[in-house]
Amino acid sequence: MRTITACNLDCSDGCSLIVNAGRSGKIKIRGNPDHPITQGFTCAKIHRYPGMLLGPNRLTNPMLHQDGGWQVISWDYALDLCAEKIQASRADPQTILHVQGGGAKGILGRVSEMFFSLLGASSTHGGLCDTAGETANLLDFGALDMNDIRDLADAKWIVNWGRDLPRASVHQTAMIKKARKSGARLLTISPGGDMCSGLNDQTIRINPGCDRFLAAAAVCLLLERGRISPKAAGRTANWAEFAALIQENSLDDLVKAAGASRRDAELLAQWYGRGEPVASLIGWGLQRHPYGTQNVRYINALALLSGQIGIKGGGSYFGISSARNFNTSWVAAGQTPRTFSMPRIGEEMLRADPPVEFMWINGGNPVNQAPDSIRTAEAVAKVPFVVAVDGFMNDTAERADLVLPCALNLEREELVGCFSHNFINYARPAWPPPGESRTDHDILTELGKRLDPPIEIPGLDELIQTCLDSPFLDVNLSELKQKGFAQAKRPWLAFEGLKFAHEDGRYHLPTKLSAEPEAPEGYPLRLLSLIRKDALHSQMAPDEHQDPPPVWLAPDSKAWRQVDTSHDVYLASPLGRIKVEPREMEGLHPDSVVYRRDDWMSLGGGVNQIIAAVLTDEGEGAAYYAQYVRLEN
């Protein structure tokens, strides 16, 4: 059977897919060749996904934890129990906490937000992914926007600020390869740990999280040489203040803070000052630092002041909202009287007043994914009743009282946007969910009927029609189902004519340049918990984990002298330690250590248990890469 569907993983490619499921049970997935972004191919993550979804570790029945073990129960009993617990807390609904993760980008999955806002339950604010960078773009441009990703084809020069292209986006990688064949050149700025070496024409290695200093150094050189665009500077609200801030810092101090050289700054200024289109790709890692918002803002400032915003082949690419082209007015249908910081959810739950009495978790694995996992696990364990809606017994589900098996990617009807392009996809189930697994919509519809007064959830068809009722879409459901995708009505160029979304219509430059914190005594290595190639977030089958997990250090790292690798080696922070297997990685910054994140604590991994809950400078993001560690025996 051939099915046109879509991937709803939290990925920047937003692929339209064709799934062929044979009678023998063999499943073949390929990218939709008609989709202008997907173009007939897709990534390793989705190719290995069916094996995980249909494998032996999948949960297929409601499971209740009692008498020290897990027992299979019926859906009726499970939903009656949930209704009883919710009903008991409805007199003070802020004692109900809903946590929705970002593991799936489908808009219909947000029905849980609607349900719990109608209850008046508590929710979360901030984020574990990209809120610092999003805030940077809102502060700078007044809106989260960027050129159409296909405009990379018109770039003459592409500066990749820390994006691990082959792991993060096979389609952006393909676009850049094609652009290079047409004469474009790629410069990657990174502390290492990426797979971009085969793509790069030139490379600048910097200190982790110090991109703002290198960008400021390039602005300093452009200013000295009279290469600042007068038109761009004239469209800012605070050019004089920003110019004075740049001139307060010497070029030597800026490049030293970046961990770069004057030659590196000269090279970067040369790329941006040529007067030819330069596209700036901004990685999501550099905004997961203590001054992550500043990192993004200084890169944006360099792009603007060199005349690269609002033009073909230029632009600054961080991302867009994956939901922006849909009508989402139905999501926040009620009120949310209390919110908890997502990066500090464990800490805030433990001191909550009134305490959380009932917790519903869907679309995520916060015990594993949030910083300070041990404290998060402790906080979840103290809640009298916890429901995890999931397909696997992961680190969060293990600590729940009730696990409800849900339909996952490729098993449910969904509308999917993307945070790097403006196509929306329709996902129809490629196969039925296994066992008694149900969609979030079905679960909450049945649960809502059991409450007094009931919570009424609109039917799925009604929700889909509402989502498509958007000024940015000109497609009906029948057309969307037939084709599988549609393009939203958005300008090809963001901020063309240097018209910005602030009330004053101007660009707002940053007003601070903060020093990088020193490494604490005894913990000299900056921990970079970076993405994997074959798995996204903690969506990994148990047999894909390595115990002990590998970590990578530069061959010239001083850490090799501190341990005896013939004995057990541990990665340690003030919060604890994890047994690891150290390996060498060429090109990595010598003061860094790379850990491929998302493995589970229960299977020997879980790096977030040794990462403190530090916030980014703006946006209430998780500054994962603020953590310093050491290797020890």
Side-chain angles (χ1 to χ4, degrees), residues 39-295:
Q39 295 193 341
F41 66 97
T42 187
C43 71
K45 297 178 180 71
I46 200 65
H47 284 302
R48 41 73 68 185
Y49 208 71
M52 183 182 74
L53 292 182
L54 304 174
N57 299 296
R58 184 72 181 273
L59 299 176
T60 58
N61 301 91
M63 304 282 288
L64 181 65
H65 192 267
Q66 58 183 8
D67 300 327
W70 289 97
Q71 296 184 16
V72 174
I73 61 173
S74 70
W75 269 105
D76 280 339
Y77 181 34
L79 293 174
D80 286 345
L81 186 57
C82 290
E84 175 190 326
K85 299 295 184 182
I86 291 175
Q87 203 68 36
S89 298
R90 267 185 112 169
D92 189 3
Q94 66 179 322
T95 63
I96 300 170
L97 174 59
H98 173 228
V99 177
Q100 173 148 341
K105 303 310 291 184
I107 194 67
L108 301 179
R110 295 179 68 181
V111 68
S112 59
E113 293 181 51
M114 177 188 190
F115 182 93
F116 285 98
S117 73
L118 287 171
L119 277 173
S122 298
S123 185
T124 61
H125 64 272
L128 304 180
C129 187
D130 51 10
T131 55
E134 289 177 350
T135 300
N137 282 277
L138 293 172
L139 291 171
D140 291 342
F141 300 104
L144 186 62
D145 203 359
M146 65 186 198
N147 290 4
D148 190 292
I149 193 70
R150 292 167 292 175
D151 194 57
L152 286 172
D154 288 316
K156 297 298 182 184
W157 309 88
I158 302 172
V159 181
N160 171 27
W161 292 83
R163 190 171 293 191
D164 189 341
L165 288 161
R167 287 191 180 93
S169 174
V170 295
H171 292 92
Q172 289 175 32
T173 301
M175 291 177 193
I176 288 171
K177 286 181 177 179
K178 187 175 180 179
R180 291 182 71 233
K181 285 183 179 179
S182 298
R185 292 294 174 259
L186 177 69
L187 166 66
T188 291
I189 300 166
S190 166
D194 55 64
M195 295 174 66
C196 294
S197 58
L199 298 172
N200 295 331
D201 293 288
Q202 291 178 289
T203 302
I204 297 175
R205 191 177 71 183
I206 62 170
N207 291 335
C210 293
D211 306 74
R212 61 193 181 280
F213 300 115
L214 184 60
V219 172
C220 182
L221 286 170
L222 294 177
L223 186 60
E224 286 179 3
R225 296 167 186 177
R227 300 305 300 270
I228 297 293
S229 164
K231 183 178 179 181
R235 291 297 301 156
T236 67
N238 54 338
W239 164 244
E241 182 182 2
F242 178 78
L245 175 62
I246 292 294
Q247 291 169 330
E248 286 174 7
N249 298 271
S250 73
L251 180 64
D252 287 341
D253 287 343
L254 290 171
V255 296
K256 181 179 179 181
S261 66
R262 178 181 283 264
R263 183 177 178 181
D264 293 328
E266 296 273 2
L267 172 65
L268 187 61
Q270 183 183 31
W271 274 57
Y272 277 96
R274 291 177 185 273
E276 297 179 322
V278 182
S280 301
L281 289 176
I282 302 181
W284 299 288
L286 61 83
Q287 47 98 51
R288 296 181 187 130
H289 286 269
Y291 294 103
T293 299
Q294 284 188 32
N295 284 335

Side-chain angles (χ1 to χ4, degrees), residues 382-398:
K382 286 190 174 183
V383 177
F385 200 80
V386 177
V387 180
V389 183
D390 212 302
F392 296 91
M393 193 59 74
N394 54 36
D395 288 333
T396 298
E398 278 193 341

Side-chain angles (χ1 to χ4, degrees), residues 573-600:
S573 81
L575 294 182
R577 66 182 196 166
I578 301 172
K579 185 179 177 181
V580 296
E581 178 193 323
R583 301 177 182 179
E584 288 189 357
M585 178 185 288
E586 293 289 343
L588 182 62
H589 193 287
D591 296 332
S592 297
V593 55
V594 168
Y595 186 114
R596 296 293 168 194
R597 62 178 183 250
D598 299 326
D599 49 3
W600 301 358

Side-chain angles (χ1 to χ4, degrees), residues 27-48:
I27 295 171
K28 182 178 180 181
I29 299 177
R30 64 188 180 100
N32 186 345
D34 297 327
H35 193 282
I37 304 296
T38 307
Q39 295 193 341
F41 66 97
T42 187
C43 71
K45 297 178 180 71
I46 200 65
H47 284 302
R48 41 73 68 185

